[in-house]
C-alpha cells in the first residue's frame, strides 16, 4: 500500500489511524448488521445505538451537564452562523455581541446581522487578527441576547485558552478546536463545531445547546433551522448524516479509550504545539509567527518565511520528507501547520526537524 | 466475514458492492494522496477533481444541458423544502402550486407556506395517497412561481413515470428515485434529491437548477440557503461533505460503466419491479398493494397482509432467509420492499420466492 504522509491540512484533516482501519474493516458489513454503515436505516436499532453511543461519549468527554442537549446536524459552521442568530436573536430587541478575532468571526457577523440587532465589541482588524483581547477588556452587556466568540481562528492561528464567563449566554464556534481540551460547558449557552477539523469527517456539525434557550426558537422559521426540532427529535428530525456521525463516534472512542480523555489530549496538544513553536522561535531570522506568542493556537501554527521563494522551497522540501498540506490559507499565504488531535507526535517532530534543517541550510 | 443480507431499507439503502469494496480498499490511502478521502482538504487538487468528475458523470448520465447547474449541498430534502421556497417564492406575488401525492409532498407544503403564497392543486388524501393524478388533470397556472411535485412517494409507494411539461418552472423532489430512469432535465426548473435512497450515502443532496432562476434569490437570505452562492462557488461556498460526494461519484461511475447508463438502469428497474409485483398479484388473498396498479413505484413496493400477525410472521421468515428491513414505514405499517438501483436481481428473486412460499404455506 501507498505510504501515508503526515497531513497538516487545516480541514478536512488527519484522523486517527485506528479509526480509519475500523472503517475499512467494517465497510462491507457492520458487525451484526449484514450491511455497511452506509446502507443501514437511521431508524434501525443499530444506528440508533451508534448515535446514542457517540452522544454519550461526548457527554462523558466534555462532562456535559443535563442542562445542555447534544445534537448532530448538517451544513457546517457556515449554516450555524445563520442558525445561531435565527434561533437566539430573531425578533429580540437586545443585541447580540460579537467578538471578531479573525476570518470566521467576520463571516459569523455577516450572517447574523441579517437576523437582528448586532454589536461588534471587539475587532482585531487593526493588527491583522494577530492577537486576542483579554476577557476583562470585553464590555459584555449582561442583557445581551448572547455574546459570540470563535474559540480558534484557523486561518490566523490564534486561540482562546480559557472559558469566558458572562451573565448573558456565551455562544462559541469551536469548529477548529472542538475537544482539544476540557471545556466548562456550564459557562456556555451554545457550543457548535463542524467535525472536519478536530473531531471527524466533513458533513456533521455538533451542537451543545442550553435547553432553556430553545424557547427562543419560533415555529415559523424553516423547520430544519429550528434547534428545537433537532433536540426534540434527538437528531432524527430528518435523516442524519449517518456515516459522519459513526466516524465522529469512533474518534470520540479513541479519545476516551486510547488517549484517556480530554485532560490527556490537552497535555499532548500542548506538548506537540511546544515542539513546533520552539523550532519557530529558535530561528527568528527564518520564521516569523503571525500570532502574538501568548495567543498562539495549539491547533494551527501560522508563520511566514523571509520571501515567497523561500516559502516555496520550504514546501518542496516538506513534500520530499512526506509532510503534506503545509501551505497557508489562500487569503493570507505563508505556512500553516495544522496539528489537530490526531496528528501524531512523529509528525510534529518531523516538522520541527525540517524547520531546523531548512533554517541551517538556507539561513 | 459476516454474510451480507439483502437490504430492502427505504434509505439509507443498499449500495453497489464494488463501490463499497473500493471505499474499503482506499480507506487509509486514496491513491496519489497519502491520506484517506476523509482527511484531504476540499481545496486539494485531488478533491476538486473528485467533485468535478462526479458532477460530469451526472451531467452525462442525465444529459443535463448547459442551461442547468449541478451542485452538492447538505441538509437533505427537508432543508430543500424550505430552500426551494426561500429562493424561488419569497417576495413574489404569484403563488407556488403544490401537487401532494404523499407524506413528503405534505411536508414540502408545510415548509413552503411559511415563505410565500401557495396553492395545493392536488391532494390525494381522500384515497390515502394510493394513486396519482394525470398530468392533464392538473390545473397548472403558467404564471405560477413554480409547480412542485414529488416524483416518488417513498412511504406510499407511488411514482410518476413521466415528466410534466409546464410553462412555469417544474420543481421535482426526486430524492427517492434519482437516476432510476433518464429525465428530460430541460422540462424542469429544479430537480433535487438527497442521495441516501438511490444515489449514495446520507449527507449529500444534489440540486440541478435552471440558471435563470438563480436571479430570484435575495442576498438578504442566509448565505448557506442561497442557491446562487452554491452555484457561483461550484459547491465550495463552504466545506462540502467530501466523503458523501466521493461515494455518490463512485455510484455514478457504476451506473455509467457497469450498468451502462440510465436507459439500461431503467430497464433493469422495470424488470426487478415486475418480479415483485407479479408475486404480489399471484396471491391476491395474501397480499394487497397500497398503490393503484398504474401508479406503482419501481422503487418502493408497499403491501399489506390480511393481519398484523401474518405480517410479523412474514418478516420473521424473511429474516431467516437473509432478507432485511422489509417492515413498512411506522406511519403506515405493512410491508415495504425498497428495490433501488443497487438492489441486485437475486434480492428481488429471493423476495418473490418468499412471497410465493409464504402464500402457499399460510394462504
Amino acid at each position: 500500500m501507498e505510504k501515508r504522509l503526515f497531513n497538516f491540512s487545516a480541514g478536512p484533516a488527519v484522523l486517527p489511524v485506528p479509526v480509519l482501519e475500523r472503517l475499512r474493516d467494517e465497510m462491507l458489513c457492520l458487525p451484526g448488521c449484514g450491511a455497511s454503515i452506509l446502507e443501514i436505516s437511521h431508524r434501525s436499532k443499530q444506528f440508533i445505538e451508534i448515535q446514542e453511543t457517540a452522544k454519550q461519549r461526548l457527554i462523558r468527554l466534555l462532562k456535559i451537564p443535563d442542562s445542555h442537549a447534544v445534537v448532530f446536524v448538517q451544513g457546517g459552521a457556515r449554516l450555524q452562523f445563520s442558525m445561531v442568530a435565527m434561533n437566539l436573536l430573531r425578533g429580540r430587541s437586545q443585541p447580540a455581541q460579537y467578538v471578531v478575532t479573525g476570518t470566521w468571526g467576520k463571516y459569523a457577523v455577516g450572517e447574523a446581522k441579517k437576523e437582528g440587532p448586532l454589536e461588534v465589541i471587539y475587532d482585531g482588524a487593526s493588527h491583522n487578527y494577530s492577537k486576542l483581547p483579554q476577557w476583562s477588556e470585553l464590555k459584555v452587556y449582561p442583557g445581551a441576547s448572547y455574546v459570540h466568540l470563535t474559540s480558534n481562528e484557523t486561518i490566523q492561528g490564534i486561540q482562546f485558552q480559557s472559558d469566558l464567563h458572562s451573565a448573558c449566554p456565551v455562544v462559541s464556534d469551536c469548529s477548529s478546536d472542538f475537544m482539544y481540551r476540557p471545556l466548562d460547558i456550564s459557562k456556555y449557552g451554545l457550543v457548535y463545531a463542524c467535525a472536519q477539523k478536530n473531531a471527524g469527517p466533513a458533513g456533521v456539525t455538533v451542537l451543545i445547546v442550553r435547553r432553556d434557550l430553545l424557547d427562543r426558537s419560533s415555529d415559523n422559521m424553516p423547520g430544519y433551522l429550528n434547534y428545537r426540532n433537532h433536540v426534540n427529535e434527538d437528531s432524527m428530525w430528518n435523516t442524519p448524516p449517518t456515516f459522519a456521525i459513526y466516524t465522529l463516534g469512533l474518534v470520540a472512542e479513541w479519545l476516551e479509550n486510547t488517549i484517556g480523555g480530554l485532560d490527556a489530549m490537552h497535555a499532548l496538544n500542548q506538548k506537540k504545539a511546544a515542539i513546533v513553536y520552539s523550532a519557530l522561535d529558535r530561528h527568528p531570522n527564518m520564521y516569523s509567527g503571525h500570532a502574538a506568542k501568548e495567543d498562539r493556537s495549539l491547533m494551527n501554527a501560522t508563520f511566514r518565511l523571509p520571501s515567497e521563494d523561500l516559502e516555496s522551497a520550504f514546501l518542496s522540501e516538506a513534500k520530499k520528507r512526506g509532510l503534506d498540506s503545509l501551505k497557508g490559507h489562500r487569503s493570507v499565504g505563508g505556512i500553516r501547520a495544522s496539528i489537530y488531535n490526531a496528528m501524531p507526535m512523529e509528525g510534529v517532530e518531523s516538522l520541527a526537524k525540517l524547520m531546523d534543517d531548512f533554517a541551517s541550510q538556507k539561513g
Side-chain angles (χ1 to χ4, degrees), chain A residues 55 58 64 68-74 76-77 79-80 83-84 87 172 178 189-194 204-210 214 224-228 230-231 235:
Chain A
K55 190 171 90 172
L58 297 188
I64 299 171
H68 288 62
V70 180
V71 291
F72 305 109
V73 298
Q74 296 182 55
L79 183 55
Q80 289 312 307
M83 282 173 69
V84 164
N87 282 275
S172 184
F178 187 56
L190 170 67
V191 165
Y192 64 93
C194 61
V204 62
T205 299
V206 180
L207 308 179
I208 304 171
V209 57
R210 218 174 70 202
L214 298 172
Y224 190 83
L225 306 185
N226 188 329
Y227 286 152
R228 202 164 52 229
H230 294 287
V231 172
S235 305

Side-chain angles (χ1 to χ4, degrees), chain A residues 40-118:
Chain A
I40 63 172
S41 170
H42 58 298
R43 304 276 178 199
S44 65
K45 186 168 59 60
Q46 292 96 338
F47 183 75
I48 290 168
E49 193 184 312
I50 283 169
Q51 184 169 281
E52 185 61 22
T53 302
K55 190 171 90 172
Q56 292 302 329
R57 287 194 195 281
L58 297 188
I59 289 172
R60 285 196 300 274
L61 281 162
L62 285 157
K63 300 188 173 56
I64 299 171
D66 287 344
S67 52
H68 288 62
V70 180
V71 291
F72 305 109
V73 298
Q74 296 182 55
R78 285 282 192 121
L79 183 55
Q80 289 312 307
F81 296 165
S82 294
M83 282 173 69
V84 164
M86 291 169 95
N87 282 275
L88 304 182
L89 181 59
R90 241 192 209 184
R92 295 170 66 87
S93 54
Q94 300 293 9
Q97 296 189 313
Y98 275 69
V99 180
V100 178
T101 53
T103 306
W104 295 107
K106 272 197 290 187
Y107 284 139
V109 166
E111 294 299 336
K113 71 184 181 193
K114 296 175 186 171
E115 306 299 334
L118 182 150

Side-chain angles (χ1 to χ4, degrees), chain A residues 138-150:
Chain A
L138 298 176
K139 292 198 171 37
V140 181
Y141 168 51
S145 283
Y146 60 85
V147 55
H148 183 280
L149 312 168
T150 311

Side-chain angles (χ1 to χ4, degrees), chain A residues 61-308:
Chain A
L61 281 162
L62 285 157
K63 300 188 173 56
I64 299 171
D66 287 344
S67 52
H68 288 62
V70 180
V71 291
F72 305 109
V73 298
Q74 296 182 55
R78 285 282 192 121
L79 183 55
Q80 289 312 307
F81 296 165
S82 294
M83 282 173 69
V84 164
M86 291 169 95
N87 282 275
L88 304 182
L89 181 59
R90 241 192 209 184
R92 295 170 66 87
S93 54
Q94 300 293 9
Q97 296 189 313
Y98 275 69
V99 180
V100 178
T101 53
T103 306
W104 295 107
K106 272 197 290 187
Y107 284 139
V109 166
E111 294 299 336
K113 71 184 181 193
K114 296 175 186 171
E115 306 299 334
L118 182 150
E119 191 190 349
V120 173
I121 57 170
Y122 175 88
D123 190 320
S126 65
H127 49 72
N128 200 14
Y129 304 109
S130 61
K131 55 188 184 18
L132 297 170
Q134 299 290 318
W135 292 137
S136 56
E137 277 175 56
L138 298 176
K139 292 198 171 37
V140 181
Y141 168 51
S145 283
Y146 60 85
V147 55
H148 183 280
L149 312 168
T150 311
S151 63
N152 180 60
E153 281 285 358
T154 330
I155 291 173
Q156 284 78 20
I158 58 177
Q159 182 181 39
F160 289 110
Q161 305 284 346
S162 64
D163 305 308
L164 169 65
H165 191 69
S166 150
C168 80
V170 179
V171 174
S172 184
D173 174 3
C174 293
S175 290
S176 57
D177 66 1
F178 187 56
M179 300 199 290
Y180 89 103
R181 67 167 173 96
L183 280 188
D184 183 352
I185 296 290
S186 71
K187 291 208 171 97
Y188 293 88
L190 170 67
V191 165
Y192 64 93
C194 61
Q196 73 265 19
K197 290 157 189 292
N198 216 25
V204 62
T205 299
V206 180
L207 308 179
I208 304 171
V209 57
R210 218 174 70 202
R211 294 177 196 277
D212 64 302
L213 294 176
L214 298 172
D215 296 340
R216 295 192 189 179
S217 307
S218 156
D219 285 332
N220 292 327
M221 62 190 295
Y224 190 83
L225 306 185
N226 188 329
Y227 286 152
R228 202 164 52 229
N229 286 339
H230 294 287
V231 172
N232 286 350
E233 299 292 330
D234 203 8
S235 305
M236 296 263 186
W237 188 74
N238 68 340
T239 309
T242 48
F243 176 78
I245 291 171
Y246 182 55
T247 307
L248 180 133
L250 294 180
V251 172
E253 183 179 6
W254 171 83
L255 278 171
E256 266 198 305
N257 297 348
T258 304
I259 300 298
L262 297 191
D263 282 312
M265 190 71 252
H266 192 204
L268 259 173
N269 281 327
Q270 287 172 314
K271 204 167 158 187
K272 287 189 290 177
I275 291 171
V276 176
Y277 287 117
S278 300
L280 194 154
D281 290 336
R282 274 196 295 279
H283 311 287
N285 297 329
M286 183 57 78
Y287 309 113
S288 55
H290 176 79
K293 276 194 185 182
E294 61 278 15
D295 296 324
R296 284 171 168 174
S297 167
L298 302 191
M299 302 284 105
N300 315 94
T302 52
F303 53 96
R304 303 296 309 239
L305 273 67
S307 70
E308 291 195 4

